[in-house]
Amino acid sequence: MDKSTAKGYVDGLGVLPKVPPTKADTGFGVLVALTNDERAAAATEVARALRERRSATPYVVYVIEIGASIPEAAMVAVALEAELRDPERRAVQEAEMKSVLHLDTGDTAKWPFSIEVGSVASGVVEQAQNRGAELILMGLNRHAALGRAIGRDTVREVMAMGGIPVLAVRDTLTGLPKRIVVAVDFSRASIRAAKLARRLVDDGGEMQLLFVEPGLLDAGAESAEGLRLIQNKGVEAAFSELLAELEGDGTVRISTSVLKGGSPPAEIMKFCENSRPDLIAVGSQRHRFLDRLLLGSTARAIAADGRWSVLITPPMREENK
C-alpha cells in the first residue's frame, strides 16, 4: 500500500478499526484442551470460573500424542484409535481419564469430554473448530531456553494454527484474572484482544492498555492499519475511542500507558515485571506469504517467555484470505 492510498484509507476510516462486537455473556463455547496432567488443574479452575461467572460452556478434550521416539509408535497409535472407535471401550477410557484429571465429580463431571489420538495441536484446533468454540483454554508452562528457541511448544502451535483466540494459563491463575495488561497497537487484532480481555477480567479488576511507540512502520502488517491511524489522529484520541468501547458499566478500572522506543516485546515484558499482571493479552499479527503461518513477533515472544498467562487473539479468518 503506497502512502497516498494509506492516507486515503485512514481519512476515510476516521475512527478506530471496527471489529464485530463481542457477544453478551449469554454463553460461549470454550474448548478446554488438556495435554498434560500437571497443568490440568489450573485450566480446569479457570474454565469453571468462566462457566460460573461468564456463562461459558466448557468442552474438554484430552489429546494423546504418540511421539516418533516411541518404538512402534505408528502401531501404538493405530491400536489406540481402534480401541476408541469401540463405544464401550471409549466410555471406559474416558471415565478413567476423567478420574485421573479430577473431572469425575461435581459440575465438571457433566462437561462433555473426549479423548483423541494424534497431533496435539491439530487435534485441539480441529475439535475447537468442529464445536464452534470461541476460545481455546490450555495450560502453560515455562520451557527451558533451548526448547523455547527450537519452538517445540504445543501452545504456540495451536495459537499459530487455529484462527481462534487462545487463553494459555499458568498454574498461578485459578480463576478470572484480576489484573490484565493489554498490548495494543490499534489494529483489529489488538482491539479484539482488548475486548475479549474486558470480557474475561474479574469484576472489580483492572486493565492496563499499553502502547509501545514503534520504530519503522511495516506497511505489510495488519498493525500498520492502526499505526497509520494514530499517526493521523494521535495516540490520545485513539485511546479515547477505545476506552469508550471498553468501559461499559464501570466495574473494571481501565488505564492507559505509552512507552517510547525499544523492542515492543522487551518493553511489554519489562512493564509486566513491574506491574505483575495475572494475564497479558495481545493481538497476533499475520504478515505476508510464509509469515502468515506464524504468530507475529510480539505474540510469539510473550507466549514463549512463559512467565505470565497469555491471551492471544489472531486475525479473523476472513482477514487471512
Side-chain angles (χ1 to χ4, degrees):
M1 182 182 291
D2 60 33
K3 292 183 179 179
S4 60
T5 305
K7 186 177 187 305
Y9 171 75
V10 171
D11 290 342
L13 187 64
V15 294
L16 285 172
K18 296 299 182 183
V19 297
T22 56
K23 298 179 182 178
D25 289 332
T26 55
F28 63 103
V30 176
L31 194 286
V32 185
L34 304 180
T35 60
N36 183 301
D37 300 354
E38 296 177 356
R39 286 180 278 163
T44 300
E45 289 304 310
V46 172
R48 180 182 284 112
L50 289 172
R51 181 180 183 278
E52 294 175 352
R53 307 282 300 282
R54 297 295 183 263
S55 303
T57 301
Y59 311 93
V60 183
V61 60
Y62 190 95
V63 182
I64 301 172
E65 185 167 47
I66 308 298
S69 60
I70 298 178
E72 302 178 342
M75 294 179 62
V76 173
V78 170
L80 275 172
E81 289 173 338
E83 185 169 9
L84 291 174
R85 280 195 292 270
D86 182 308
E88 292 185 2
R89 291 302 303 158
R90 172 176 279 274
V92 170
Q93 293 283 4
E94 291 180 350
E96 291 178 354
M97 183 56 70
K98 289 182 74 171
S99 177
V100 170
L101 298 171
H102 305 291
L103 296 172
D104 56 342
T105 60
D107 59 332
T108 59
K110 301 176 183 178
W111 296 359
F113 179 91
S114 67
I115 296 176
E116 305 298 329
V117 179
S119 164
V120 173
S122 298
V124 167
V125 171
E126 181 178 358
Q127 286 291 315
Q129 293 172 345
N130 289 344
R131 291 183 178 274
E134 296 179 53
L135 180 69
I136 295 173
L137 174 58
M138 306 181 70
L140 176 69
N141 68 341
R142 193 175 187 192
H143 293 264
L146 179 59
R148 294 201 307 273
I150 295 174
R152 293 176 179 173
D153 187 323
T154 300
V155 170
R156 281 185 288 156
E157 289 178 7
V158 171
M159 290 174 176
M161 291 173 57
I164 299 171
V166 176
L167 175 59
V169 300
R170 296 272 294 156
D171 56 11
T172 52
L173 184 63
T174 56
L176 298 182
K178 296 183 180 298
R179 197 170 194 181
I180 301 179
V181 168
V182 185
V184 295
D185 57 14
F186 304 102
S187 65
R188 287 179 171 88
S190 71
I191 294 170
R192 278 195 298 276
K195 288 186 173 183
L196 184 51
R198 175 64 182 84
R199 192 176 185 184
L200 299 179
V201 67
D202 200 359
D203 297 339
E206 179 183 359
M207 285 177 56
Q208 296 174 293
L209 307 181
L210 178 62
F211 174 72
V212 180
E213 289 190 352
L216 296 175
L217 178 64
D218 178 3
E222 183 192 3
S223 59
E225 172 183 276
L227 296 178
R228 292 191 184 94
L229 176 63
I230 61 175
Q231 287 177 341
N232 183 264
K233 287 184 169 292
V235 175
E236 185 175 346
F239 264 139
S240 295
E241 293 179 13
L242 181 54
L243 286 170
E245 295 189 55
L246 295 176
E247 287 182 331
D249 57 8
T251 59
V252 173
R253 299 185 303 277
I254 305 178
S255 60
T256 63
S257 297
V258 177
L259 301 179
K260 297 183 181 296
S263 161
E267 293 299 323
I268 292 167
M269 287 187 278
K270 186 186 301 182
F271 181 88
C272 290
E273 287 171 359
N274 295 323
S275 60
R276 305 182 68 177
D278 299 316
L279 176 72
I280 302 176
V282 60
S284 172
Q285 309 301 338
R286 302 293 178 95
H287 303 283
R288 308 181 192 90
F289 195 48
L290 292 178
D291 282 347
R292 289 184 303 170
L293 305 177
L294 305 173
L295 287 175
S297 59
T298 299
R300 184 170 62 249
I302 292 172
D305 184 84
R307 282 180 288 173
W308 301 276
S309 297
V310 294
L311 170 67
I312 305 293
T313 59
M316 297 180 73
R317 290 188 173 278
E318 56 268 26
E319 294 174 7
N320 292 337
K321 293 180 181 179

